[in-house]
Amino acid sequence: MSEEQLLRELDQKLRRLSVEGLWSPASEADIATYSKDPHTSVLPHVWKWPALYEAIQTVASMHGLDGKAERRVLRLINPAYQNEKNRRQRTTTHTMLMTLQLLKPGEIAHDHRHNFAAFRFILKGTGAYTVVEGEKFPTQEGDFLLTPSMTWHGHRNGGEPVVWLDGLDNPLLFLLQAITWEAFPGGLQPMKQLSEHTAPRVGATRPIWEKSSARPAYNLHYKWQDTYEKLQSLSDGPGSPFDGVALEYVNPEGGHTMPTLSCGIQMLRPEEITKTHRHNCSTVYHAFRGNGATVIDGQTFEWEQGDCFVVPLWSWHSHQNRAKDQEAILFSVSDLPVMEALKLYREEVGEGA
């Protein structure tokens, strides 16, 4: 019997044992895809605000969804995953999901909790509030609110239609097969009566170029007024060469925003062009104010106020504000904490940086 026949019989025997040799064609093909640089299936893409807003307004007028506030949500699906049969794999990046949600006046999103981390960044409208662990957090445009893992939370709207971005790490937890979710018994959690002596759990930001080992108090709500004032106070300084005047929302327990997500806000000053770099964490952006462009691996992606776009991991990128007399502000979320926790984070600067 030839060596080739012997190997074929061995492969068949190993398959019956649920074992595979590294010499198998499938394993060889897999090894052939390895390289010194990371590779991602995520594609750069821009979701345009006019189309998104028109779609969410159409959803708002659908009477079949009345009383189902949790369903007025649009998932931002990366083109690379658009044709995935498994809905859980139709995500914004391989580790993160960004959605756009609308809450109509008088609507309630019933309380629940889950072990995947989530946040909301308020885009339009006032009068809504989120209840987290019994504490009421009224929100305004530009506010940023955390609902960390396993915190009871729900949403109410007593004002005008409100639109916000949701960011979640559930694609990562689906991959880990660790998802848990449960509804609050009775639908709505009771709200606590806070006294003047109760410390409000409002948050803070810090410049990303200044590292801190301090552990801040537990915070859930980051008000836009405070955040914007911090951006303005730093606008005359050098900032980050790669992100302009950039802040990270401080984690409630220290470190990044949450264990799996780093959220930030950055100001690009008039005509500012950042230097090029790349890193092995993926980032999703929202243009909160202004307009500009981001160059990703040599391709220019233009964005305007309201647009969302994704920069895949290990992609060379830089940002530019094209306005001569107006600032541009980008909100962002990345999976940086995951890469750092696994001791895998890498970053490289471009030529001339």
Side-chain angles (χ1 to χ4, degrees):
M1 184 178 295
S2 69
E3 191 74 22
E4 183 178 346
Q5 290 175 315
L6 287 171
L7 189 58
R8 188 162 49 246
E9 287 188 4
L10 176 59
D11 286 340
Q12 292 173 350
K13 179 179 179 180
L14 292 177
R15 276 196 295 272
R16 291 193 294 270
L17 297 173
S18 297
V19 176
E20 182 179 81
L22 193 59
W23 59 81
S24 71
S27 294
E28 289 180 349
D30 184 49
I31 293 173
T33 64
Y34 295 169
S35 70
K36 69 180 182 66
D37 289 327
H39 173 74
T40 179
S41 57
V42 176
L43 296 174
H45 184 71
V46 180
W47 292 266
K48 303 302 291 183
W49 176 251
L52 288 176
Y53 192 63
E54 179 184 4
I56 201 69
Q57 290 300 313
T58 301
V59 173
S61 64
M62 295 177 66
H63 296 293
L65 294 179
D66 285 347
K68 298 180 180 178
E70 296 91 340
R71 299 295 179 264
R72 301 188 195 277
V73 177
L74 300 177
R75 297 158 58 95
L76 274 57
I77 307 302
N78 193 279
Y81 305 141
Q82 190 67 52
N83 297 321
E84 290 285 351
K85 294 182 179 179
N86 186 340
R87 182 173 179 272
R88 293 177 174 179
Q89 295 176 337
R90 295 197 296 273
T91 55
T92 314
T93 77
H94 59 303
T95 58
M96 299 178 292
L97 176 66
M98 184 81 85
T99 70
L100 187 69
Q101 182 165 357
L102 183 142
L103 197 64
K104 294 176 66 175
E107 284 192 327
I108 294 174
H110 289 91
D111 295 319
H112 60 283
R113 69 178 181 180
H114 38 67
N115 64 346
F116 46 94
F119 66 79
R120 36 219 45 88
F121 184 75
I122 312 302
L123 303 183
K124 293 180 68 69
T126 60
Y129 61 93
T130 292
V131 180
V132 186
E133 292 293 325
E135 190 169 343
K136 178 180 177 179
F137 295 95
T139 55
Q140 304 288 327
E141 292 181 6
D143 284 6
F144 175 66
L145 185 70
L146 299 183
T147 50
S149 174
M150 297 309 289
T151 53
W152 292 111
H153 61 280
H155 315 293
R156 328 273 195 269
N157 189 0
E160 59 190 13
V162 175
V163 179
W164 66 66
L165 288 174
D166 285 306
L168 313 100
D169 65 355
N170 54 348
L172 175 63
L173 269 67
F174 279 129
L175 178 64
L176 297 174
Q177 300 185 358
I179 288 284
T180 63
W181 188 100
E182 59 182 306
F184 189 83
L188 299 177
Q189 61 180 307
M191 285 189 286
K192 300 175 182 177
Q193 297 298 318
L194 301 180
S195 71
E196 61 179 350
H197 303 293
T198 304
R201 291 188 285 182
V202 295
T205 56
R206 64 165 177 253
I208 65 171
W209 60 90
E210 293 180 7
K211 303 302 180 183
S212 172
S213 60
R215 295 176 60 85
Y218 190 76
N219 306 316
L220 293 173
H221 187 192
Y222 305 75
K223 297 180 179 179
W224 172 245
Q225 180 179 349
D226 298 334
T227 302
Y228 187 53
E229 287 178 358
K230 187 67 170 290
L231 285 172
Q232 288 183 310
S233 71
L234 297 168
S235 63
D236 292 334
S240 162
F242 308 110
D243 293 293
V245 181
L247 307 173
E248 182 182 23
Y249 292 96
V250 174
N251 188 294
E253 298 177 346
H256 295 294
T257 317
M258 288 187 280
T260 55
L261 300 173
S262 171
C263 298
I265 196 87
Q266 65 196 84
M267 174 191 292
L268 300 175
R269 292 157 288 198
E271 297 187 302
E272 182 171 10
I273 300 176
T274 68
K275 294 182 178 181
T276 300
H277 73 151
R278 65 180 179 179
H279 39 67
N280 62 350
C281 59
S282 303
T283 309
V284 184
Y285 292 88
H286 168 76
F288 186 58
R289 288 184 180 174
N291 64 83
T294 296
V295 179
I296 306 173
D297 282 336
Q299 184 177 356
T300 300
F301 293 83
E302 296 185 351
W303 42 263
E304 298 176 318
Q305 183 170 332
D307 293 353
C308 294
F309 62 97
V310 61
V311 176
L313 65 84
W314 213 238
S315 299
W316 293 111
H317 61 281
S318 63
H319 308 292
Q320 54 184 286
N321 178 1
R322 293 184 167 176
K324 294 182 179 180
D325 56 359
Q326 292 183 331
E327 66 196 21
I329 296 179
L330 297 174
F331 170 83
S332 65
V333 56
S334 80
D335 53 8
L336 169 63
V338 177
M339 305 307 291
E340 286 188 343
L342 297 175
K343 308 298 183 186
L344 296 175
Y345 181 68
R346 289 175 60 190
E347 182 175 3
E348 288 185 359
V349 300
E351 292 184 6

